[in-house]
């Protein structure tokens, strides 16, 4: 770790052997025209990617995580951060998300720990990696409470920085049509006594914004949270440093990165609450700026 973090170079392929030797690995000359090469090390599997005479990245596979759920992967991720952080300090570069990473500025660029599906890696790059938004297929089908708890824990552990999620009571198409029909009907006529006793409608609560504003990036308060609607049961909001969960007037904050047990506890408490509020997970939906990985609920797209 000290050798890799302190090595200064220009990312030229003819300097790669010096870095590999300093790290204690066994150098292997890449074949002509190859895009990658691997070295021998125990433990781990190091290697490098090349583009002509330039090295684009050096990596070390720390441990396999295939077969683990998302919370289990986060346990390995947090443990690796603690080990590297003991030498380099807390990571100043933080990237929550489906495949989260943390990074440290070092002599040659950025040293990163990346939790990707199937493998936990250590990367040395000239600059931080670029993370594309995840492709999330729409959820179709039914889900039970146990599956919702598992999915909710994984979803909470996979939110990117700046993501807000509202869990709501779902409105069925028939209910929406009935609501629209009802609102189009004129108010019933009454006598003068009725008119005298009628009260003006209450003022609109400015903290309640439409789902259209939310999906367009607006409708957030000064802290960055998406505004809840009357049907909102739970709010989640992720920053680079923490995950905040709001239920009614209560707020819970979990520092990021967090181990998988923290997300299991959050999901367990939320499912207990949701079971008291709704008869089935089929009665729930969510709203967010982007689709949320692992969350087995329908994404609500209605405009109010």
């Amino acid at each position: 770790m000290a050798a890799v973090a302190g090595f200064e170079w220009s990312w030229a392929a003819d300097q790669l052997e010096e870095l590999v030797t300093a790290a204690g690995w066994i150098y292997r000359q890449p074949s002509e025209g190859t895009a990658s090469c691997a070295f021998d090390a125990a433990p781990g599997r190091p290697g490098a990617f090349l583009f002509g005479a330039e090295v684009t990245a050096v990596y070390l596979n720390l441990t396999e995580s295939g077969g683990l759920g998302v919370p289990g992967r986060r346990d390995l991720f947090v443990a690796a951060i603690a080990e590297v952080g003991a030498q380099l300090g807390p990571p100043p570069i933080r990237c929550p998300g489906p495949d989260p990473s943390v990074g440290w500025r070092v002599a040659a660029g950025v040293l990163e720990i990346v939790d990707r599906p199937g493998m936990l890696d250590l990367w040395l790059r000239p600059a931080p990696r670029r993370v594309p938004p995840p492709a999330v297929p729409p959820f179709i089908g039914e889900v039970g409470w146990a599956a919702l708890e598992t999915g909710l824990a994984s979803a909470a552990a996979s939110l990117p920085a700046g993501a807000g999620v509202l869990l709501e009571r779902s409105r069925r198409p028939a209910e929406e049509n009935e609501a629209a029909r009802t609102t189009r009907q004129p108010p019933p006529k009454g006598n003068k006594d009725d008119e005298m006793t009628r009260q003006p409608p209450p003022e609109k609560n400015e903290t309640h914004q439409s789902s259209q504003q939310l999906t367009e990036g607006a409708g957030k308060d000064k802290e960055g949270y998406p505004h809840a609607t009357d049907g909102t049961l739970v709010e989640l909001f992720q920053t680079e440093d923490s995950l905040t969960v709001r239920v009614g007037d209560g707020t819970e904050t979990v520092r990021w990165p967090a181990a998988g047990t923290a997300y299991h506890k959050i999901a367990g408490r939320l499912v207990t609450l949701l079971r008291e509020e709704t008869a089935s997970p089929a009665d729930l939906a969510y709203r967010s700026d982007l689709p949320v990985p692992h969350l087995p609920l329908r994404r609500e797209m209605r405009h109010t």
Side-chain angles (χ1 to χ4, degrees):
M1 182 61 61
V4 172
F7 194 83
E8 296 186 29
W9 65 328
S10 61
W11 291 88
D14 58 8
Q15 295 178 301
L16 183 58
E17 183 176 4
E18 186 179 352
L19 170 66
V20 170
T21 302
W25 305 334
I26 299 176
Y27 179 72
R28 288 180 177 175
Q29 178 72 30
S31 302
E32 184 176 355
T34 186
S36 65
C37 55
F39 317 115
D40 289 331
R45 290 179 295 171
F49 287 95
L50 303 95
F51 183 77
E54 177 187 4
V55 180
T56 58
V58 178
Y59 65 88
L60 174 65
N61 300 139
L62 298 177
T63 184
E64 294 185 2
S65 57
L68 292 179
V70 173
R73 287 170 48 196
R74 298 300 184 264
D75 287 337
L76 298 177
F77 181 58
V78 169
I81 294 171
E83 187 169 349
V84 176
Q87 301 184 52
L88 303 181
I93 303 172
R94 297 162 175 258
C95 185
D99 304 330
S101 64
V102 298
W104 294 262
R105 300 283 181 182
V106 295
V110 178
L111 188 68
E112 295 176 312
I113 296 175
V114 181
D115 175 12
R116 61 187 179 93
M119 187 67 67
L120 184 68
D121 295 328
L122 186 69
W123 289 84
L124 179 64
R125 293 186 176 95
R129 68 177 184 143
R130 291 177 294 179
V131 183
V136 182
F139 175 77
I140 300 175
E142 299 292 331
V143 63
W145 289 113
L148 177 61
E149 182 173 341
T150 299
L152 189 54
S154 298
S158 302
L159 294 178
V165 182
L166 306 178
L167 301 185
E168 302 180 330
R169 295 181 179 88
S170 176
R171 291 182 67 177
R172 307 287 183 174
E175 294 173 343
E176 294 178 354
N177 293 338
E178 176 64 20
R181 185 188 65 79
T182 302
T183 56
R184 287 196 297 267
Q185 292 179 345
K189 295 182 179 181
N191 56 37
K192 292 184 178 180
D193 292 337
D194 292 336
E195 294 176 358
M196 294 178 62
T197 57
R198 287 179 191 146
Q199 299 295 323
E203 295 183 0
K204 182 180 179 181
N205 187 340
E206 295 182 356
T207 61
H208 289 180
Q209 304 290 332
S210 71
S211 60
Q212 181 178 5
Q213 289 175 309
L214 179 63
T215 57
E216 292 175 351
K220 296 184 180 180
D221 63 23
K222 63 182 180 180
E223 294 177 312
Y225 290 89
H227 289 304
T229 64
D230 291 339
T232 299
L233 301 173
V234 176
E235 301 173 61
L236 299 97
F237 189 78
Q238 177 73 54
T239 69
E240 289 185 356
D241 299 315
S242 63
L243 172 69
T244 299
V245 183
R246 288 181 173 179
V247 179
D249 295 330
T251 300
E252 178 183 3
T253 301
V254 178
R255 298 292 296 176
W256 192 92
T261 52
Y263 298 110
H264 277 306
K265 290 179 180 179
I266 290 172
R269 288 194 290 266
L270 291 182
V271 166
T272 298
L273 164 74
L274 295 172
R275 294 187 72 161
E276 295 174 354
E277 297 290 337
T278 58
S280 165
D283 298 326
L284 297 168
Y286 78 92
R287 282 195 298 134
S288 67
D289 292 332
L290 295 171
V292 178
H294 309 295
L295 189 57
L297 295 175
R298 183 171 62 90
R299 185 181 177 205
E300 198 87 313
M301 300 298 291
R302 74 175 188 270
H303 290 213
T304 58

